[in-house]
Structure formats: C-alpha cells, structure tokens
Amino acid sequence: QVQLVESGGGLVQAGDSLRLSCAASGRLFNRYAMGWFRQAPGKEREFVAAISGSGGDIYYTDSVKGRFIISRDNAKNMVYLEMTSLKPEDTAVYYCNAAWRGGASWGQGTQVTVSS
C-alpha cells in the first residue's frame, strides 16, 4: 500500500548534524502518521519521533528532545528528521514508519554512525 525509502545516513563525529529523509509512495500520504524509529546492534527497535498526518501533533522520545526535529511535506510525500548535536549513543539504523488505521509500513533503514 505504501513504500518507504530512507536516505541521508552516514558516518559523522559527535556534535555533527544529519538530515534524514523518507520518501513515501502512494496517494494517501496525508492520512498517515509518520515516525522515525532506530535500532542499535543487539537492541530492540525504539521510538524516536512521530508526526501526525497534518503535522499538527509531534512527539519525541526524551533522549532526542531539543536535538532532533521531525517534519513532513505532504505535497512531496516526504518526512524528515533533522538531527543535531549527535552523540555516539545515537548510532543506529534509522527506520521510517507510516501508520494508519489497521496497518503500518516500514522502510529499509539508513545507517547513522556517530564517532566519539
């Protein structure tokens, strides 16, 4: 129903910034709540940020508040995660997520590595 493709990951040093992008297919993008999750090696996937279909409601996990910003452009079927002041503990594969009533979809992930 919807396909998601993440991009923008890379290897950076602590304190650097990255912007992740997620491109979504389909005609119902503005009906999907969009989110970013991440998974570090050996750990479970964890919630990072989410944004409602209209962009009016935004949520962050405490560890990224003040550093990460989630946004969306419904005209372009895009969602973004602007990450600043990156820390080594932010190292993970970051996944884009789309959620709707009765279903959800995931991208393939993009690697973010933050060195000390």
Side-chain angles (χ1 to χ4, degrees), residues 18 22 39 62 78 85 93 108:
L18 281 175
C22 175
Q39 187 169 21
D62 285 346
M78 297 288 292
S85 300
V93 177
Q108 84 291 340

Side-chain angles (χ1 to χ4, degrees), residues 58-103:
I58 294 175
Y59 307 90
Y60 299 99
T61 191
D62 285 346
S63 64
V64 309
K65 288 180 179 177
R67 299 189 299 120
F68 291 11
I69 297 175
I70 188 171
S71 62
R72 67 191 296 158
D73 186 339
N74 287 348
K76 297 181 178 180
N77 279 24
M78 297 288 292
V79 63
Y80 306 97
L81 186 68
E82 184 75 31
M83 306 184 295
T84 62
S85 300
L86 282 163
K87 304 174 180 179
E89 49 263 48
D90 295 318
T91 295
V93 177
Y94 283 71
Y95 296 91
C96 182
N97 166 262
W100 60 93
R101 185 172 298 172

Side-chain angles (χ1 to χ4, degrees), residues 3-86:
Q3 294 181 334
L4 306 172
V5 180
E6 303 96 331
S7 62
L11 173 62
V12 299
Q13 293 183 327
D16 283 352
S17 299
L18 281 175
R19 190 183 80 160
L20 306 184
S21 298
C22 175
S25 67
R27 299 164 57 189
L28 303 175
F29 183 71
N30 64 356
R31 299 187 185 181
Y32 305 144
M34 300 296 298
W36 289 95
F37 291 70
R38 64 188 181 187
Q39 187 169 21
K43 297 184 178 180
E44 295 184 352
R45 191 170 300 185
E46 66 174 346
F47 169 79
V48 176
I51 185 168
S52 63
S54 68
D57 296 299
I58 294 175
Y59 307 90
Y60 299 99
T61 191
D62 285 346
S63 64
V64 309
K65 288 180 179 177
R67 299 189 299 120
F68 291 11
I69 297 175
I70 188 171
S71 62
R72 67 191 296 158
D73 186 339
N74 287 348
K76 297 181 178 180
N77 279 24
M78 297 288 292
V79 63
Y80 306 97
L81 186 68
E82 184 75 31
M83 306 184 295
T84 62
S85 300
L86 282 163

